[in-house]
Amino acid sequence: SDFQDRAHIIGAQLVTTFSANLFNEFRGSWPYRNEHHVADALTGAGPMITIAAFNKVVNDITYQYSAANFGGSNGVGDKYQEKIPSFNDNVTFIKGKHAMKFGFGMQQNLDTQLADIYTQYTFRSIAQYTSAKNGTTPQVYSSLSASIGNPGAAYHSLFFDLFGQDAWQIRKNLLVTYGVRYDQYRAPTPP
């Protein structure tokens, strides 16, 4: 299979000066990412066929080593897609020795994940595969794995924040910055 990955982003910022003491900053962006595995030009049609050469047991776990793989692929069809629209706005007001800033922001994550869809037959030997292909013993395969339907999930997450702060220039060599901030994360609703 081939891996295709695309990532794009659009963003903008607008700074507005209302007076020498008051200005506003607005920023927004929309990142987008789309990645997935697709069949390669050399990927065969139909189900994936594996002909096992031997099994090896290590710590009570059986590992199967292949002599041959051909046909389709068990690594095609997965997808990960994410869009993250966001914006922030804040106002700055300067008065005397104080630079006060107030603002808010919002970000939404829109995610979609899909798993590979495939069928994979495993045969213990070339003779068993040939016997099944010829129709002599069609169900002689040692295992069958399949991922069917629409295996995956789509979910939306929401983040937002509010804040206020003051940068107070007490002396030439002493700046005190203090403030409050509220952040909230709204998790996706489970299926």
Side-chain angles (χ1 to χ4, degrees):
S1 63
D2 290 336
F3 180 63
Q4 295 179 348
D5 187 6
R6 301 287 182 267
H8 310 279
I9 186 170
I10 185 168
Q13 178 174 340
L14 175 65
V15 178
T16 307
T17 304
F18 298 106
S19 71
N21 299 358
L22 180 65
F23 65 93
N24 187 76
E25 299 170 273
F26 177 81
R27 292 180 302 279
S29 68
W30 190 293
Y32 171 68
R33 184 164 193 178
N34 183 359
E35 59 186 46
H36 54 279
H37 286 91
V38 296
D40 182 86
L42 300 175
T43 303
M48 181 175 178
I49 305 296
T50 299
I51 299 176
F54 61 92
N55 292 335
K56 183 176 182 181
V57 178
V58 178
N59 296 330
D60 295 325
I61 299 174
T62 302
Y63 295 92
Q64 190 173 56
Y65 294 88
S66 301
N69 288 308
F70 56 91
S73 173
N74 62 0
V76 170
D78 62 310
K79 179 183 274 190
Y80 176 73
Q81 192 175 53
E82 183 173 52
K83 299 172 188 172
I84 310 174
S86 68
F87 69 88
N88 296 253
D89 189 68
N90 61 67
V91 175
T92 301
F93 178 65
I94 301 169
K95 182 169 177 139
K97 296 183 176 188
H98 296 270
M100 294 165 277
K101 186 178 280 195
F102 305 92
F104 65 94
M106 193 257 349
Q107 173 181 311
Q108 187 173 29
N109 290 27
L110 310 168
D111 296 301
T112 302
Q113 295 183 3
L114 298 174
D116 297 316
I117 298 171
Y118 65 91
T119 303
Q120 179 178 1
Y121 292 92
T122 301
F123 297 91
R124 295 186 199 281
S125 66
I126 294 173
Q128 282 186 339
Y129 169 71
T130 305
S131 175
K133 185 161 175 65
N134 293 338
T136 310
T137 52
Q139 295 178 343
V140 73
Y141 50 85
S142 59
S143 70
L144 168 63
S145 301
S147 174
I148 59 174
N150 193 13
Y155 48 93
H156 300 171
S157 306
L158 181 66
F159 303 83
F160 66 88
D161 63 81
L162 303 164
F163 75 93
Q165 74 177 40
D166 181 23
W168 178 19
Q169 188 77 51
I170 295 176
R171 296 194 315 241
K172 285 184 179 182
N173 62 351
L174 180 60
L175 175 70
V176 175
T177 302
Y178 55 94
V180 294
R181 182 175 180 93
Y182 175 79
D183 285 281
Q184 188 176 86
Y185 166 61
R186 292 186 181 169
T189 305

